[in-house]
Amino acid sequence: MASTEDPQFTQIWADAFAQYHKDTGRDIKKDSAISSLHNTDDLLDHIDQKQQKFEAYRNKRSKLWEALRVAMKPVELVGGLTQGALTLTPFAPASTVLGAVLFLVQSAESVTSAYDTIADLMEKLQQFTGRLSEYSKSMIDMKLKKIIVESLTTLLTVFARSEKLIKRGRALHYFAVTFLGGDGKVQAAFGRLSELTKYEQSMVAALNLSSSKRTEKAVEGVANSLNDSRKDKKEEEDRKLLQDSLEGEAKGHAFDRVSEINADLNEKRLSGTGDWILDELLFQAWTNREMPLLWILGGPGAGKSYLSSRIVSYLKQLHPQERQLPVAVSVGFFYIKEDDQQLRSVNTILKSVAAQIAKNDSVFKSAAAKVCRSPENIRTAKSTWRKLFLDFFSSSQNESSVFIVIDGLDEAPQEERETLLEFLGDLVIRPESGERPRIQIVIVGRPDLQIDMQAAEQSHEVRIRGDLIEVSPRKTTKDILDYISTGIRKVRILPKLRGKDRADLKEEIIDKLTQGANGMFLWVNLMLEQIKNKTRISDIRAALDEAPRDLARMIRHVFERIAANPDENKDDLNEMLAWVACAERPLVIGELDLLLKLRSGIGEGVLTLEDDLRGKYASFFTLTREDGLTTEDLLRGRGKESASSEYNDHDENDEGDSKTNASDDDFVEEQLFQSSLKTTIIQFSHASIRDYLRREGVPADLGIGIEMNETQYRITQTCLSIICDEEHTKKYEAPNLFDYAATHVLGHLVLIDRSKVDEEDRRRIVELLSSLLYEESTMRRWYVSLWASELEDIIDKCLAQHQYSQSIRSWFSDKESLHSLSPEKQLWAQSAATSNKELFRPSALSLASAWLKAPGADVDEESCVLFLHYYLLGTENQVDEVEEVDDPNPVRPAEVSAGLVRVSDLSADRITALAKFAGLEANSYWHGRLAKILRDADHVDEAIEEFEISIGMDSQNWLAMGGMGIARSLKEDYSKAVEWHLKALKIMPQEETHHRTIFWQEVTDWRDEMGDIEGVVEASREALSAQPELPLSMHRYIQSLDDAGRYADVMEFVETLDRKIPEGEEETSLTRLLLNTYVHEEVSNACRVLGRLDFAIHAFETAIAASQRAKDINYEMKERLHFANFYYRQGGNETKALEIWEDLLSNFEHKKSEHDWAVGYVRENASSSLSQLYLDKAVAVERAHGDPSVWISKLVALSTQSKGTSSDQDDEEVISTRNASLILGLWYRWHHQHEEAKACFKAKILEGIAILTDDDPSNDVWGYVSLAETLLKTGDMENAATAFAISFAHLDNVNARKNGEKQDQGSLELPARKGSTVANDQTPDPEDVATVEANGHGTDTSPRATTGGSEKATNGIDGEGNMRFTWTCDGPYRHKEKAIKAMYFCEICLNTCFCQDCYALLNTRKLPYRKCDPNHTFYQAYPTPEKVETLATIEIDGQLKPHPEWLDGLKKKWAGY
């Protein structure tokens, strides 16, 4: 029962219990689980009983026990001392804290790293709990008792926060970081414990001193009264002195003004805004005093001042202020304002901060008063810094320290910035005493401060850069969303709308503002101001499409700062602004570097280009590296190695220069910014900057900006010059702008207003343009550099839609501009000015030659055909001029759609007519090239005729023979196809290794279709012999041996590869093979059969190590995924597989790569495998009558994603479209939690519907596949049957052709579900669902259907526009489509199905690897019921389309609308 002397403690415990309940969902006041925990031994015994079954626990028991015992014993000892404070629970404080530890350990069941880190946590807590045991020996003072109570409740906070993160499934990341300070709330708790320990030490010292002098108390009474009077008088004098010297001297109103600014920011700042900074590791290191100086830099309008106020608030939470303690941690702050002269002086900053410290620290207050008695001591910034700060906070006579936040340093004058930066050097230079000043400073400002930092380092020879945090859009996304969600309430007309109208408009506003913000709070605020008082929806929508009116003022201000620098090269800056503003795609830094070299006229670039872009220009430019490293990362040392190796495109052969300059220390500077010139992209930091430049032009008073017409002319002239200069690509290595010029030259040309271009410049464009469109060498150089899609874009705009043709012709209409052309070119130009046909005739002839005459022309032949087709269709009523080659039906009926037709849409006669257009000699090569196009256009019979003519004209034309082989394969005449290829191979020159490899690979595939297993092995061996180091050939050869069951040969071959290192390579051939293919399954098969699992482990570990050396995230993640799958499916080590899968989802969470889709693919596979395994674990535990919550919480975490709109620190989470959500839905469905199950299935169902209703019909099959799998998991068998039937339509057609019969139109019957008697609308009991301990699941990553290959589809649409067969059996029989008689789908496993023979293997437990379980329920989806597909499709214009009524039914049933 509580005593009457300690009611002050009741609220402390009440608050602690409330927070614990919020974090864990557990009311610890009523939890009987802790009633038996009286001491540390009880805790350890309880843990041992519960955790002993986990191998991971047993392995870590010794370390964990010792750490728990040492850390918690003091808690037990002092528990009785504070019992009187605990009125809200029948248990002692010690029991409460020990109980929290128990729940924490239980939440970490079976995770090895968790036990390690809990032990580390306890070891760290020993420094705080160790002193508590001293108070079990005697009565203690009430003030000390309060400190103990606060320490115990803080421990409760640490454990509650830990458990919350684990239960939310963040344990993988959490255990690696959070316990040791990676989580903001835990970090705050540790800070509080540290502060309480210091208070306790000071209090003990004071009490001891008081006790020793108690006997003198009576004698000293009178003296103390006199001293108190004198002390009060002195304190008043000091207070007045400091007020006059510091607050008053701080430029009159500075002290009060910065306090007002901070208070105003705190009032306006939304709850949770800026909290992301608390989780930044560098910020945590700074608050822990691991480094004295921290920079936080962000662009204009990014909310930096609000972030500063959040930091001040957080620091004051850690270190409460104005307490006048003998050992004080003070917090000072200052907001520099460019428009306020009194808030820009360094001396003012220092005095204002000193005044804040004096209000908190009594020792500093006395020392400062002494300093201020001499005005000279604080007359200059340097003396103030030295006397008030360095001397005091370096002194060993006190233990005071200070945290200082300075916001807006970039707004101070140049000389003031230089002064402060000089002072900062005093913090990083360690004095002879070995101790730095106890001063922590964080500077918040714009990125251009980096230029000042660099200059200061060079001037004072001290490094102050490195510890930098960027305020990036990625970090502030949640804050922006909160800001928008709150600000939108001010839009006047929203409350006037009702229901869906209001929801739609609100969503539209939020989407527009979110997409346009890019981390700029100011932009959002101005947009909200612009729309809030609009009274019409149309006005709001119009305003959302316009740039904020007041934003131009801010952007101009940024340029004013640049223009004020007398050393600024405005011409270079304007060149960069022009290209970044008007380029048709983002440029890379190497292209910008080349442009500056070209502009100089002498090929001289800007040596400090990247430094400038990341420094003084960082307010409007942003750089994006391929590896995702930011300026922040590079400055703090991350990425240096990559910057100097694979990402370094700079000259590495500078040994001589290095030796020459090595002794010249004045010029030695660490190169932090050496990003790849080829892949580092430069863009504006916000789209509004581009809009500003295009609108404002070049203000005369600034000289910075762009004039649009001049810019388009300059870009066009540069592009034309690059294309026409045959030496350009020889003079400049990539990125040399040639690809950009070739792709976009015409797009820039048509944007020029020719009337505003002077005569000389017009003449220059005409010269270059005539070269581009008339000279064969220039045309060929241009077309060869284009991708097929890029050439087709030119066809569309010049010949089909005529968007460019008139503008191009207009340049030749000025006769004065033609005088400098040759007579031949003049004649062509004059006719081209009035005729599209003449304008593009040279191009048409050139492309016809590239297609039919010039071997190795390297121009996409289908694009050549399309160019000729549209050219000969004629323009401007000139069709009659090409009647001799026109075809009355050039395009197949009902096959013309919007946009360009495809070559496959053209008739055979039309294609033949196009080939005859140029009048080229119809020799063997000509006929062969025509035949190839006919074949690719699906005119196979006509193609065969042309191939026969070609071979008849030249019996040595092996290319035509190869083409004939492919044509025969398309007729499924594989025997003839192989025959023609073998003929070609006999006469093919030996040096044609590439073609030889391709031909043998095609023979391999055709023999596979024929079922000739040994023939496949032979052909794949021949392909390999042609190019022995080609990974694809090695992979195909190993596949053929695996299919033939020749596992010993597989092992012999891969062991040979493991011993071979190709010339010029660092890795073995086997490692290169694993990195570049998906051969892992075949290697695993051979190792399993031959008992050589150790070799597989060695091979996979070596490949992972190689990927790490190469710093290739794609390779590393892929190899780790295959390694996990091996352990699960072949290696019999489920625990190891689980660890690797979890590692892929935690440690690789924020990794960047050039192929983000590859990273996503690996993560989704790992997530799917884990979700299935978590379900297995949960079911197994439940069957044993245990608590499956640990595994289900992990499954929940896999199935959810952050919504990012909550104002609380912990984001709201919603069900994602990951496959794991289906597994979670299954669990809920089995346990009759229907609403939760529906929420899990909803996202995937809507995703499938979205695919079916988009504008791309080629992906419809994926929509049906997704819906089939999802609906199967929901138990909605009728709709699942419908979706499955459509996905099997192609297989039905194959088997119908095989049997030479049409499918009967029978009645609609749903296929029975084998292995289950549960009705469709019933929910099975978990014990009836599966036995999961012995067998399970795994997600393969191989794109081939080898033993358990998992890619469920290869392509959605076949050559005839029909849906392909999309499912692949997960068993070992690789049946061809014609051999598939039935397909069975597991209703529990993800994407798992078996053909009739593999299903039999599964049921007899004879699968050679771990996959699925025969006790699972299965649904037989094939053969399909008759007419089922008609429920979900409707025929429109001869093609099957998704049926709207069926989709609407799904939406209504599963999505509620």
Side-chain angles (χ1 to χ4, degrees), residues 104 141 159 282 302 382 450 922 933 1056 1068 1098 1132 1186 1319 1339 1346 1395 1402 1410 1444:
L104 170 63
D141 183 85
F159 300 142
L282 277 177
K382 189 170 186 177
Q450 292 178 73
I933 285 292
T1056 301
T1068 68
H1098 151 74
T1339 303
T1346 184
C1395 68
L1402 175 72
R1410 186 175 182 180

Side-chain angles (χ1 to χ4, degrees), residues 317-615:
Q317 179 185 351
L318 286 180
H319 312 290
Q321 297 297 287
E322 300 191 14
R323 301 173 66 172
Q324 289 293 313
L325 296 172
V327 179
V329 179
S330 300
V331 177
F333 55 88
F334 199 90
Y335 295 89
I336 302 172
K337 297 299 176 184
E338 189 172 21
D339 57 356
D340 191 329
Q341 292 292 330
Q342 299 185 27
L343 297 182
R344 300 169 61 187
S345 161
V346 172
N347 207 14
T348 300
I349 296 172
L350 296 175
K351 291 178 180 179
S352 181
V353 170
Q356 296 169 35
I357 299 172
K359 291 182 178 296
N360 180 66
D361 187 335
S362 59
V363 179
F364 178 86
K365 180 179 178 181
S366 298
K370 292 179 182 179
V371 171
C372 292
R373 288 194 180 97
S374 174
E376 290 299 318
N377 287 338
I378 57 173
R379 191 173 302 282
T380 67
K382 189 170 186 177
S383 61
T384 302
W385 170 248
R386 177 66 58 187
K387 298 291 185 180
L388 282 181
F389 288 87
L390 282 185
D391 290 350
F392 178 81
F393 290 107
S394 299
S395 172
S396 60
Q397 301 302 311
N398 69 82
E399 297 182 14
S400 298
S401 60
V402 63
F403 288 87
I404 302 174
V405 181
I406 299 178
D407 178 81
L409 179 58
D410 55 286
E411 299 190 44
Q414 178 71 30
E415 61 273 14
E416 298 291 337
R417 299 201 302 270
E418 293 174 355
T419 298
L420 183 58
L421 291 171
E422 178 185 352
F423 296 166
L424 296 182
D426 295 328
L427 301 183
V428 296
I429 299 176
R430 190 178 293 275
E432 294 181 1
S433 65
E435 297 294 332
R436 294 190 182 99
R438 296 179 300 279
I439 302 174
Q440 299 292 114
I441 296 183
V442 58
I443 305 290
V444 183
R446 293 186 184 179
D448 41 287
L449 281 173
Q450 292 178 73
I451 299 298
D452 296 323
M453 294 155 62
Q454 184 178 9
E457 289 178 347
Q458 293 175 342
S459 299
H460 305 293
E461 298 183 352
V462 57
R463 181 167 180 75
I464 59 175
R465 290 183 294 175
D467 299 319
L468 179 149
I469 296 174
E470 285 186 309
V471 184
S472 64
R474 179 180 62 84
K475 297 174 181 176
T476 59
T477 297
K478 174 185 171 295
D479 292 349
I480 289 284
L481 286 170
D482 287 347
Y483 189 64
I484 293 171
S485 300
T486 301
I488 201 173
R489 300 170 189 166
K490 300 176 183 178
V491 179
R492 286 180 57 196
I493 69 170
L494 276 178
K496 306 293 183 182
L497 300 174
R498 292 290 180 269
K500 191 173 183 299
D501 290 338
R502 183 200 299 182
D504 288 348
L505 180 59
K506 183 177 179 180
E507 182 178 2
E508 183 178 350
I509 294 173
I510 291 175
D511 287 346
K512 283 273 190 179
L513 296 183
T514 302
Q515 293 168 12
N518 197 31
M520 189 181 288
F521 286 86
L522 177 61
W523 183 87
V524 173
N525 180 61
L526 293 175
M527 289 296 289
L528 287 169
E529 289 295 317
Q530 195 162 283
I531 68 172
K532 70 178 184 180
N533 291 320
K534 302 292 184 185
T535 57
R536 290 187 174 89
I537 295 177
S538 59
D539 291 341
I540 288 180
R541 287 175 173 152
L544 288 171
D545 291 331
E546 299 174 358
R549 289 182 294 271
D550 293 335
L551 194 61
R553 187 184 311 126
M554 182 202 73
I555 297 174
R556 177 183 168 86
H557 184 60
V558 173
F559 288 128
E560 284 175 347
R561 288 190 182 186
I562 299 293
N565 183 357
D567 296 326
E568 181 61 41
N569 189 323
K570 295 180 180 179
D571 291 336
D572 280 348
L573 176 57
N574 286 340
E575 184 79 359
M576 291 189 286
L577 292 173
W579 276 88
V580 177
C582 297
E584 294 296 321
R585 64 155 171 80
L587 300 178
V588 296
I589 192 172
E591 291 173 328
L592 200 63
D593 178 58
L594 176 59
L595 288 168
L596 295 175
K597 290 178 180 177
L598 295 175
R599 198 199 72 77
S600 72
I602 57 174
E604 185 178 10
V606 177
L607 298 179
T608 60
L609 178 59
E610 186 172 3
D611 286 353
D612 292 345
L613 293 172
R614 294 186 183 274

